[in-house]
């Protein structure tokens, strides 16, 4: 079955999971962990990504984050590629370090944000890496220790998370810690790591029961939230896909037009695309710009990118041909 496209709208809450390939270790020592977190810090600033919760385990990582203006794809690609190259060089290994594709689940904020913060930060306790909440308070490789004030970093959204527990910081920290301790013995919650609404409702039998009563239930394993939230996310994803398809179609129109006009004018395509200034090249470029702008409605800035010149040069060429048309 082909994998589904990633849902990646800017500003969306994501639960992201990264795993070592075939369960392999992705952190050999504390130096590796520090390097990974340093990269996270640099990229949060550059991409506008907001990290609410995180934990580093030997063979996997969890993040709860709000994606930046360009989504999470750039953030994750730069983080994982840069770290893997350094890790392989240091440990004299080759090949993939991470599973081919990190997992990300789009989450509805109101019912799930705090549950996910707690669930992610309890990972070391569930895995017996620490033996108690007191041990978790001191665990260096989790956002929990930052929230309770045992360590600091500049990129974690501490104030935002603690604001859900009170206005005064000390009281908010105590309330947050009690919140975590309430579920210290809780096991793995499958709906928080995949399966979305179906699992959170209690499985397919419950969904079918609701449908039998006339209720329409939207669901998608890439989304954790109510049916209405799932529907909204999928509609936005569909709009984005349509925009991408329109953009691809424009690319094909531009490429085809350039090839055809270059053939007619007897000039090389590379010279037209790279801003060549020979008179015959400029003439061909002007015809291309005029057709794409006036006949196909493609923005001049986009045409300029394909023809290796500035937008004002395209506008000048179009205006010149318009004047010639009027004289005819």
């Amino acid at each position: 079955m082909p994998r589904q496209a990633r849902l990646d709208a800017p500003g969306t809450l994501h639960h992201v999971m990264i795993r070592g390939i075939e369960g392999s270790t992705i952190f050999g020592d504390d130096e590796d962990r520090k390097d990974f977190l340093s990269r996270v810090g640099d990229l949060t600033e550059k991409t506008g990504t907001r990290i609410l919760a995180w934990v580093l385990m030997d063979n996997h990582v969890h993040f709860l984050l709000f994606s930046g203006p360009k989504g999470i794809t750039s953030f994750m690609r730069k983080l994982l590629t840069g770290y893997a190259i350094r890790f392989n060089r240091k440990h004299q290994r080759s090949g993939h370090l991470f599973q081919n594709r990190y997992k990300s689940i789009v989450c509805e904020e109101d019912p799930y944000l705090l549950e996910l913060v707690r669930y992610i930060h309890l990972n070391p306790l569930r895995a017996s890496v620490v033996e108690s909440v007191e041990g978790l308070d001191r665990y260096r490789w989790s956002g929990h220790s930052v929230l309770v004030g045992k360590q600091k970093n500049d990129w974690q959204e501490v104030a935002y998370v603690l604001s859900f527990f009170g206005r005064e910081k000390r009281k908010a920290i105590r309330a947050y810690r009690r919140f975590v301790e309430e579920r210290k013995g809780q096991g793995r919650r499958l709906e928080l790591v995949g399966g979305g609404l179906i699992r959170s409702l209690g499985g397919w039998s419950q969904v079918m029961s609701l449908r039998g009563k006339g209720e329409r239930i939207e669901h998608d394993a890439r989304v954790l939230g109510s049916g209405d939230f799932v529907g909204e996310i999928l509609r936005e994803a569909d709009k984005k896909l349509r925009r991408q398809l329109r953009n691809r179609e424009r690319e094909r129109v531009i490429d085809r037009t350039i090839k055809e006009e270059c053939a007619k004018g007897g000039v090389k395509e590379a010279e037209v695309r790279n801003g060549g200034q020979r008179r015959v090249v400029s003439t061909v470029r002007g015809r291309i710009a005029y057709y794409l702008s006036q006949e196909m409605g493609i923005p001049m800035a986009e045409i300029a990118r394909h023809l290796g010149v500035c937008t004002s040069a395209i506008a000048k060429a179009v205006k010149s041909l318009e004047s010639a048309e009027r004289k005819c």
Side-chain angles (χ1 to χ4, degrees):
M1 179 183 295
R3 66 190 187 183
Q4 291 179 295
R6 195 178 300 286
L7 300 174
D8 189 16
T12 304
L13 183 67
H14 291 263
H15 179 194
V16 177
M17 289 149 277
I18 308 159
R19 298 191 179 278
I21 190 164
E22 297 179 350
S24 62
T25 297
I26 55 178
F27 301 110
D29 52 35
D30 285 353
E31 184 182 342
D32 291 339
R33 295 180 179 89
K34 289 176 183 177
D35 176 69
F36 187 86
L37 293 179
S38 175
R39 294 172 188 275
V40 171
D42 289 342
L43 287 168
T44 54
E45 183 175 352
K46 291 176 181 176
T47 64
T49 306
R50 299 170 56 204
I51 309 289
L52 280 69
W54 57 276
V55 65
L56 309 187
M57 306 296 284
D58 286 345
N59 64 358
H60 67 281
V61 174
H62 288 259
F63 286 121
L64 183 66
L65 59 82
F66 285 117
S67 54
K70 295 185 178 180
I72 63 169
T73 303
S74 177
F75 172 81
M76 293 302 301
R77 183 180 67 251
K78 290 176 180 178
L79 172 63
L80 300 186
T81 300
Y83 176 78
I85 290 171
R86 178 219 171 254
F87 182 92
N88 283 353
R89 188 185 299 123
K90 174 186 173 184
H91 295 284
Q92 299 183 335
R93 69 181 298 277
S94 60
H96 294 294
L97 176 62
F98 301 105
Q99 291 282 56
N100 289 339
R101 203 175 191 228
Y102 63 89
K103 186 173 185 178
S104 64
I105 300 172
V106 174
C107 306
E108 189 171 8
E109 185 174 349
D110 285 347
Y112 290 110
L113 188 150
L114 293 182
E115 284 297 322
L116 283 161
V117 169
R118 174 164 61 186
Y119 181 81
I120 288 169
H121 287 162
L122 280 170
N123 257 270
L125 191 57
R126 280 198 302 276
S128 299
V129 175
V130 298
E131 297 181 354
S132 64
V133 175
E134 288 75 19
L136 188 64
D137 292 343
R138 297 187 297 274
Y139 184 68
R140 296 171 60 192
W141 313 115
S142 161
H144 172 81
S145 60
V146 181
L147 285 172
V148 298
K150 298 298 182 181
Q151 67 171 342
K152 295 181 179 180
N153 67 42
D154 295 329
W155 45 263
Q156 187 175 335
E157 296 282 326
V158 174
Y160 181 78
V161 173
L162 290 180
S163 69
F164 289 93
F165 296 93
R167 293 183 178 181
E168 200 275 310
K169 187 174 181 180
R170 289 185 181 179
K171 291 181 180 178
I173 290 174
R174 288 197 294 270
Y176 160 75
R177 197 178 180 282
R178 286 195 300 271
F179 176 74
V180 171
E181 197 158 13
E182 286 170 2
R183 294 290 185 273
K184 63 182 180 182
Q186 190 175 57
R188 192 164 183 255
R189 292 182 60 186
L190 294 178
E191 78 275 15
L192 298 183
V193 296
L197 182 65
I198 301 303
R199 282 178 171 158
S200 65
L201 287 175
W204 273 107
S205 59
Q206 182 63 20
V207 172
M208 296 308 291
S209 173
L210 290 171
R211 283 182 174 173
K213 296 175 183 177
E215 295 190 33
R216 187 171 183 271
I217 304 295
E218 291 275 10
H219 62 87
D220 190 295
R222 299 168 294 171
V223 186
L224 178 62
S226 66
D228 289 344
F229 178 76
V230 173
E232 181 182 344
I233 291 294
L234 295 182
R235 284 190 292 276
E236 286 299 314
D238 184 59
K239 290 178 185 176
K240 181 180 179 183
L241 178 59
R242 290 174 186 274
R243 286 195 298 271
Q244 289 173 340
L245 291 174
R246 287 197 297 271
N247 290 341
R248 290 193 196 108
E249 180 58 32
R250 284 214 304 265
E251 293 281 330
R252 286 193 286 268
V253 169
I254 293 170
D255 289 342
R256 185 173 63 246
T257 302
I258 291 173
K259 288 181 187 298
E260 290 174 354
E261 291 296 331
C262 285
K264 289 177 186 176
V267 299
K268 291 182 179 179
E269 187 179 332
E271 193 173 3
V272 170
R273 287 184 180 271
N274 293 325
Q277 295 301 309
R278 290 196 300 134
R279 182 182 295 275
V280 64
V281 173
S282 296
T283 299
V284 169
R285 185 183 296 115
R287 289 203 299 264
I288 293 168
Y290 183 82
Y291 173 76
L292 293 176
S293 173
Q294 303 305 105
E295 300 295 328
M296 302 305 298
I298 295 173
M300 290 186 185
E302 187 171 352
I303 298 169
R305 287 198 299 272
H306 286 270
L307 296 179
V309 294
C310 62
T311 305
S312 61
I314 296 297
K316 185 178 178 180
V318 170
K319 185 176 180 180
S320 176
L321 280 175
E322 281 179 338
S323 298
E325 286 285 326
R326 284 195 293 268
K327 292 176 183 177
C328 294

